[in-house]
Amino acid sequence: MKKIVISTGGGDAPGLNAVIYAVVHACHLRGWEVYGSRSGYGGLLDPDELRRLTLADVDGIYATGGTILGSTNKGNPFSMPVENLAGEIQVVDISDKIIRNFKRMGFDCHIAIGGDGSLAIAQQFFEKGMSVIGVPKTIDNDLEATDRTFGFDTAVSTATEALDKLHSTAKSHDRVMVVEVMGRESGWIALYSGISGGADAIFLPEIPFDIDCLCNKISDNELHDKDYAIVVVAEGASARGGKVVSKGRGELGREEVILGGIGEWVAEQIRQRTKKDTRSLVLGHLQRGGSPTTFDRLLALRFGAAAVRLVEEGGYGRMVALSGSGMVSVPLIDAIKSRKKVDLTSDKVLTAREIGICLGD
Ligand code: F6P
């Protein structure tokens, strides 16, 4: 008999519930108990935030977006900012309390589903003595050591569908439409959706862009009787010599800045330089919503089942991963060392160039 606690951390991604579904089923088959911790480590701080998960609790959830456990991307337990009575912000470390509760409650393993931030915290807990297994999640697909994270395929499908829809309105008005997509410092969502959605230009964080290159592309389109254009801009992209555009840190306890604004900046440059009617839109959290695609559902279910097999083998401090078409496990530390960037020599980048997409260089 084993007692497992499962948590979802960081920004939500379609497929989280499918992982939970697979973990609960695979544990049930083995006669093990699974508990869900609310909002990351909430259940290991407050028993009210912990709930036993039965087959009935997870019925049908594999097909739903979001997470039944709730999630948060603020409040790292190792450096948690709290406001004291005098209104000052103090940084406290509550990790010892979490470890104590984990042991006191008799858990054998924590299955942490997260992106680089949550998995880095999971690694710190592993180093402090907690038995941890990681499951890679993020729509950004920027985790090292796995060929794919779940959530990415759904986000790309949503972005591609949006681009498909923008074509008709852009064409009707002879307009340039600039679409800002998520992805932080990696251009995976921009590249995959831009190629699949017929973009004229795609700006990635990996290639600082030259705005003149885009304006030349728009003029070139016109020479070929195409009076509209679709431009995809990753939120982390920046102009050559320019800076990444952000909205600051946002809520207390949040570790990463909120990116956004580069799409409108690009649109304004196009307006000024080409005098073309130009509009921008930010797809934002639409990319995180909705039910997971078949690909993400299957990947998430496979990750969940593989995580339980890893518990059985005692593979603590490791993360389940996709390698080629198979499930493997890798040290958690390998997954968080750096963010996976688009390989500029990959065939996808070559494809973009060969079908005439401007990449800003
Ligand atoms: O990491 C996933 C992600 O959706 C990023 O693409 C984006 O920059 C960020 O999270 C947005 O975070 P929040 O939900 O806090 O606005």
Side-chain angles (χ1 to χ4, degrees):
M1 211 318 256
K2 284 195 192 293
K3 195 172 164 186
I4 311 294
V5 58
I6 182 167
S7 69
T8 52
D12 68 334
L16 283 167
N17 285 336
V19 179
I20 298 168
Y21 177 95
V23 168
V24 170
H25 274 265
C27 286
H28 177 80
L29 210 67
R30 289 164 172 82
W32 300 353
E33 283 179 357
V34 184
Y35 288 78
S37 169
R38 276 203 62 80
S39 305
Y41 290 85
L44 291 172
L45 287 165
D46 174 0
D48 287 345
E49 299 290 297
L50 194 68
R51 69 186 246 224
R52 173 89 194 271
L53 293 175
T54 64
L55 294 187
D57 292 319
V58 299
D59 184 37
I61 66 166
Y62 56 85
T64 60
T67 160
I68 60 162
L69 296 176
S71 194
T72 177
N73 51 11
K74 50 184 197 273
N76 180 343
F78 288 86
S79 53
M80 171 95 76
V82 286
E83 198 173 329
N84 66 17
L85 291 175
E88 296 153 346
I89 305 298
Q90 282 182 326
V91 175
V92 294
D93 179 350
I94 53 168
S95 61
D96 283 336
K97 186 171 176 193
I98 290 177
I99 295 265
R100 260 197 320 276
N101 287 344
F102 176 82
K103 292 187 175 153
R104 195 176 46 78
M105 292 170 181
F107 286 118
D108 296 289
C109 180
H110 171 210
I111 297 182
I113 316 173
D116 61 336
S118 314
L119 293 179
I121 294 170
Q123 169 67 22
Q124 278 181 281
F125 274 117
F126 172 65
E127 287 166 13
K128 258 191 128 160
M130 185 187 275
S131 312
V132 176
I133 280 170
V135 177
K137 159 247 59 162
T138 165
I139 65 160
D140 303 336
N141 196 38
D142 60 352
L143 265 179
E144 290 286 2
T146 181
D147 287 351
R148 272 293 177 93
T149 54
F150 69 83
F152 172 65
D153 187 66
T154 311
V156 169
S157 301
T158 300
T160 304
E161 200 187 326
L163 295 177
D164 287 347
K165 288 185 173 163
L166 287 170
H167 273 270
S168 57
T169 174
K171 198 170 181 173
S172 305
H173 289 266
D174 288 348
R175 272 181 180 157
V176 180
M177 299 295 302
V178 180
V179 186
E180 183 179 300
V181 297
M182 283 185 166
R184 301 210 67 81
E185 288 93 26
S186 300
W188 298 102
I189 299 178
L191 183 66
Y192 279 46
S193 64
I195 294 176
S196 313
D200 294 279
I202 306 173
F203 290 165
L204 309 173
E206 289 84 352
I207 306 178
F209 61 85
D210 175 359
I211 199 80
D212 289 331
C213 167
L214 169 61
C215 296
N216 293 341
K217 168 74 184 167
I218 292 169
S219 310
D220 194 52
N221 272 356
E222 282 170 350
L223 290 179
H224 296 92
D225 289 333
K226 184 180 174 190
D227 294 320
Y228 72 99
I230 305 286
V231 180
V232 176
V233 182
E235 62 180 3
S238 55
R240 246 179 231 170
K243 282 199 293 207
V244 169
V245 183
S246 97
K247 298 178 172 150
R249 203 160 292 277
E251 312 88 12
L252 181 65
R254 200 192 147 92
E255 303 210 308
E256 285 185 313
V257 293
I258 301 171
L259 297 177
I262 187 68
E264 179 47 33
W265 187 85
V266 168
E268 183 52 30
Q269 297 301 313
I270 298 170
R271 273 183 218 114
Q272 285 176 15
R273 290 163 195 246
T274 67
K275 310 290 174 235
K276 278 207 73 87
D277 206 3
T278 304
R279 298 286 188 274
S280 72
L281 72 150
V282 179
L283 284 192
H285 295 80
L286 269 181
Q287 295 157 96
R288 295 229 301 252
S291 71
T293 57
T294 309
F295 181 91
D296 276 340
R297 244 179 245 196
L298 182 59
L299 181 61
L301 290 166
R302 291 169 73 200
F303 276 157
V308 176
R309 291 197 295 274
L310 201 53
V311 176
E312 203 157 42
E313 292 160 18
Y316 303 129
R318 300 183 72 80
M319 179 186 86
V320 293
L322 182 72
S323 173
S325 58
M327 282 288 119
V328 295
S329 78
V330 294
L332 251 179
I333 198 126
D334 289 354
I336 55 170
K337 329 191 246 241
S338 59
R339 289 206 166 148
K340 188 171 70 185
K341 302 280 189 184
V342 169
D343 172 4
L344 299 181
T345 63
S346 74
D347 82 283
K348 280 124 194 159
V349 173
L350 298 180
T351 301
R353 294 190 192 283
E354 279 169 15
I355 61 176
I357 298 174
C358 161
L359 295 181
D361 55 349

